[in-house]
Amino acid sequence: MLSKKTNHADIIGYCCMRFPVSDLKKSVDFYCNVLGYELNSADYQFGEAHVALKNGNGPGIFLMETKPEDVTHLKFVFPRSFWITDSARQVTMVEMLTNDLLALHERIKQAGAHIDKEPVFTDDFGYFTFYDPDGHYIRAVEERGVFFDLKQRMSSTLQRDLTEHENQLLWGLCEKASVEQQKFLASIISEIRGS
């Protein structure tokens, strides 16, 4: 048990993610031109580039040029057992949100990336999985259902994308709300839009 003096320190977010890549310029091209990231900085001589979402949400990604023999690839098995790991028990899987799953799927397909699982849709979300040029396993997710609808309405009303914090608050409300409460939330947002 932590003492009262130290138990207030929590992880409050993500500052960045770091991906080893074998060809920095090729990976920058994939993340920026195919996935839609923005290049913040690049030092090709040092072998590192920083890419970030254009809307400023979420952590940035540092692409770090690494010799292929220094990278251990991991295999993802679904639905059971979830992970096959290397001897150090390390695992990598990234889930990225998109506003148009099918359009992103088509763009990734046109870029020649390996698509592992074709798009699947449920009432609440859609997803597909693919590999980047270095074999990083990525799932693209499009949120749907009440949360997705409310998020779209709020973004339209505010005339901007919701911040990560606002998304989390809205998700928390929708997750805990009954169907009647979700309808009530939607009606309030509709009234706000109308005024």
Side-chain angles (χ1 to χ4, degrees):
M1 185 77 172
L2 295 173
S3 73
K4 293 198 184 266
K5 289 183 180 178
T6 60
N7 68 4
H8 66 279
D10 296 322
I11 300 297
I12 58 170
Y14 297 91
C15 57
C16 70
M17 295 181 284
R18 295 183 180 271
F19 291 178
V21 300
S22 57
D23 183 328
L24 187 60
K25 288 182 180 175
K26 181 178 179 183
S27 290
V28 166
D29 180 61
F30 182 79
Y31 278 82
C32 292
N33 295 328
V34 179
L35 298 184
Y37 281 74
E38 193 168 76
L39 179 63
N40 279 4
S41 64
D43 185 337
Y44 291 101
Q45 190 172 5
F46 181 70
E48 181 179 275
H50 178 221
V51 297
L53 296 175
K54 290 177 183 174
N55 63 11
N57 285 345
I61 296 175
F62 281 90
L63 303 170
M64 307 182 73
E65 201 161 55
T66 308
K67 293 178 185 172
E69 62 268 21
D70 292 336
V71 179
T72 302
H73 287 281
L74 308 173
K75 185 177 180 185
F76 180 77
V77 178
F78 186 80
R80 300 271 186 248
S81 59
F82 269 99
W83 306 106
I84 294 176
T85 65
D86 66 7
S87 59
R89 310 301 296 165
Q90 295 172 327
V91 156
T92 303
M93 182 186 180
V94 177
E95 293 197 11
M96 298 174 170
L97 287 174
T98 178
N99 59 350
D100 191 331
L101 192 77
L102 295 176
L104 180 65
H105 174 265
E106 185 59 30
R107 198 164 54 194
I108 289 170
K109 196 162 112 179
Q110 292 295 321
H114 175 213
I115 293 175
D116 179 58
K117 186 166 182 68
E118 294 296 323
V120 172
F121 287 94
T122 70
D123 288 342
D124 297 322
F125 62 92
Y127 71 93
F128 71 94
T129 51
F130 65 97
Y131 294 90
D132 80 352
D134 286 280
H136 296 294
Y137 191 64
I138 299 171
R139 176 182 286 173
V141 179
E142 180 183 352
E143 299 160 333
R144 293 178 169 263
V146 174
F147 169 74
F148 181 77
D149 184 49
L150 287 173
K151 180 179 169 181
Q152 294 294 92
R153 290 181 189 193
M154 288 180 75
S155 292
S156 174
T157 301
L158 297 171
Q159 297 181 341
R160 65 169 172 79
D161 289 335
L162 299 184
T163 66
E164 189 174 348
H165 181 68
E166 288 167 337
N167 274 322
Q168 289 172 354
L169 288 172
L170 184 60
W171 178 256
L173 282 171
C174 290
E175 194 176 31
K176 294 175 182 159
S178 67
V179 173
E180 293 79 21
Q181 290 168 327
Q182 290 174 0
K183 286 178 184 173
F184 177 70
L185 284 170
S187 70
I188 288 174
I189 291 169
S190 292
E191 285 179 33
I192 292 170
R193 284 180 81 183
S195 59

